[in-house]
Amino acid sequence: MNATATAQTLDCSDIDQYLGKVMDFSPLREPIAANDIRRWVHAMHYPNLVHFDPDFAAASRWGGLVAPQSFPIATDDGHGAAPACVGCIPNSHLLFAGDEWWFHDTRIKAGDVITNTRIPFDYAVKETGFGPTCFQRGDNNYTNQNGEKIATQRSTALRYNAHAGGAAVNPDDFADPEWSDEAVADIEARVFAWVQMLHDLGHKERWWDDVQVGDQLPERVFGPHSLASFATEWRAYIVNTWGTMNLRKNDLEALGFTREMAGYENDPDMMKVNPFLTDGAYYGPSRGHLFPKYARRIGMPRGYGYGASMGSWVTDYLSGWVGEHGMLVHSVSNYRGPALTGDVTIQTAEVVDKSVDAEGRHLVHVKHLMTNQRGVKMCLGTAEIALPKKPGPKKAG
């Protein structure tokens, strides 16, 4: 493909050789376990009983624990971003910028073996606040051991000149916001209001017929975020525990990172020599999430959350409202800003349309929005949700 003229200051030409070609994949060494699922929903702030409580799950339509629709990226070695960040862009940095999901009616359960076929898709160079910026996309195709399709994820990575990162940091944003006891109590009440919505819905249907254009989905609030909560998220991605995958060799220097920044994150050879050095929570480019010193090098004022987690928050928010008798069919999420330590995340959505698709599914169309406590937009996008339609009256005779 031909990138725009702005690429003269951001050399993306190495990406071309990878487009449309299947990448290597790092397979999990063991099948998915029930506690992998429990750990995931706990870390993603998603207290839906069907994903962690055996008795509640046994009474569900699935008859046992199932993973949430957000779970596939927990089975991947690159948080879903790998096919969107191949190719060397010299002296650059990278952020996860968004994703698009297509879901199939197959749920992950304990005992499943998940495969991800990854294919780099395309890229384009645009001007942003970082200067010339490469928006690079790649596809993840998740299937189980039976070859059944689970989901397709089209991820977007944002890649920009390294010198632009630190220059974008505002020192006024270095410190976490302070919350009074009263404010924390208010946040906790708002957090539990959404949990109560999950409990109230339980195993019941949310009918397509009862949803109207203009309806507002219940607000979802969680936080304040902290280095501890981000570390909990990090450990829920299965690859971030030693020895869980047959890891592919990942050349972080080829992605524009210097050796000092790249380190040996998830390096399969170093894993056998000194596994401490392979832990991205402490070494390598991912440590910026948990160490403000390194966050500031790429344009973040302090510790910040994971892009893949933000995408999961969107999926969990919408599928939690749906309940177990419907499903999130398709979603688009554009990331505008990170979750920072000390911030609170607020999710809302509005029903903008209803339709019946070619497959006969009854769909609700929504616009979703994620902000922090100051109203700063973190993520926005659209989604289509399939809900059951109320059965008609039975015919006499």
Side-chain angles (χ1 to χ4, degrees):
M1 63 168 290
N2 293 320
T4 63
T6 55
Q8 293 175 2
T9 56
L10 194 70
D11 183 4
C12 304
S13 59
D14 190 54
I15 299 174
D16 292 322
Q17 65 178 308
Y18 299 101
L19 297 180
K21 299 177 182 178
V22 176
M23 293 174 55
D24 289 339
F25 171 62
S26 302
L28 289 164
R29 286 174 168 156
E30 291 92 25
I32 298 301
N35 277 353
D36 293 329
I37 297 170
R38 292 188 176 102
R39 186 175 294 110
W40 178 253
V41 293
H42 190 168
M44 293 299 122
H45 321 278
Y46 185 36
N48 190 330
L49 292 169
V50 76
H51 306 308
F52 67 91
D53 182 82
D55 293 335
F56 187 90
S60 74
R61 59 171 288 206
W62 296 289
L65 288 176
V66 293
Q69 289 188 252
S70 64
F71 187 74
I73 57 169
T75 70
D76 180 62
D77 71 346
H79 299 194
C85 57
V86 296
C88 178
I89 301 179
N91 194 31
S92 64
H93 283 159
L94 180 149
L95 294 171
F96 204 172
D99 49 29
E100 182 171 9
W101 285 89
W102 294 266
F103 292 99
H104 302 279
D105 194 15
T106 300
R107 301 301 286 263
I108 297 174
K109 300 180 180 180
D112 283 349
V113 177
I114 307 304
T115 299
N116 180 11
T117 302
R118 307 189 292 198
I119 306 174
F121 185 66
D122 68 3
Y123 71 94
V125 179
K126 305 176 184 179
E127 286 290 332
T128 72
F130 289 125
T133 302
C134 178
F135 290 79
Q136 185 176 350
R137 299 192 295 177
D139 290 350
N140 299 276
N141 301 280
Y142 301 96
T143 57
N144 64 17
Q145 67 279 4
N146 301 317
E148 297 169 312
K149 294 181 179 179
I150 298 167
T152 295
Q153 174 194 18
R154 178 163 292 166
S155 298
T156 299
L158 187 151
R159 303 176 71 179
Y160 53 93
N161 284 318
H163 68 79
V169 181
N170 182 355
D172 292 340
D173 294 329
F174 284 0
D176 285 9
E178 295 186 7
W179 296 92
S180 67
D181 291 344
E182 292 79 7
V184 170
D186 177 68
I187 292 169
E188 291 176 346
R190 293 167 70 186
V191 169
F192 186 68
W194 195 75
V195 178
Q196 188 63 58
M197 183 276 296
L198 295 175
H199 294 336
D200 291 343
L201 182 59
H203 298 300
K204 299 190 294 292
E205 293 90 347
R206 186 179 298 283
W207 299 110
W208 180 82
D209 313 67
D210 296 335
V211 178
Q212 305 300 322
V213 173
D215 284 354
Q216 303 292 318
L217 272 61
E219 171 194 70
R220 182 192 186 197
V221 176
F222 52 96
H225 302 285
S226 66
L227 294 181
S229 66
F230 292 154
T232 301
E233 292 174 30
W234 178 256
R235 286 289 176 250
Y237 291 89
I238 299 173
V239 66
N240 295 329
T241 298
W242 294 342
T244 55
M245 287 184 173
N246 291 314
L247 290 165
R248 65 189 176 99
K249 190 73 173 179
N250 186 14
D251 188 357
L252 292 174
E253 287 187 277
L255 297 180
F257 295 104
T258 64
R259 167 49 62 185
E260 189 272 336
M261 278 294 287
Y264 297 93
E265 185 173 333
N266 287 331
D267 184 288
D269 299 325
M270 183 58 72
M271 184 76 69
K272 298 176 182 179
V273 178
N274 186 352
F276 291 105
L277 296 180
T278 70
D279 193 335
Y282 300 99
Y283 300 96
S286 294
R287 62 185 161 180
H289 290 288
L290 303 179
F291 292 90
K293 170 184 175 181
Y294 296 102
R296 289 164 194 159
R297 292 191 184 185
I298 62 168
M300 297 296 168
R302 53 189 191 270
Y304 63 102
Y306 304 92
S309 296
M310 187 179 292
S312 297
W313 299 343
V314 171
T315 300
D316 293 340
Y317 173 55
L318 298 175
S319 57
W321 175 78
V322 169
E324 65 186 63
H325 298 282
M327 66 176 292
L328 178 61
V329 172
H330 172 249
S331 66
V332 176
S333 296
N334 299 307
Y335 307 153
R336 298 296 178 85
L340 298 173
T341 55
D343 283 353
V344 168
T345 293
I346 303 164
Q347 292 182 267
T348 56
E350 179 182 0
V351 178
V352 295
D353 198 6
K354 295 173 66 177
S355 69
V356 180
D357 69 5
E359 299 177 37
R361 297 179 298 188
H362 289 73
L363 302 180
V364 171
H365 304 249
V366 303
K367 288 185 177 180
H368 63 84
L369 176 65
M370 184 187 301
T371 69
N372 66 15
Q373 71 280 0
R374 294 183 290 118
V376 176
K377 291 180 181 178
M378 298 164 58
C379 176
L380 52 84
T382 60
E384 291 82 56
I385 296 164
L387 291 176
K389 180 174 174 54
K390 287 182 178 178
K394 294 182 179 180
K395 295 182 179 181

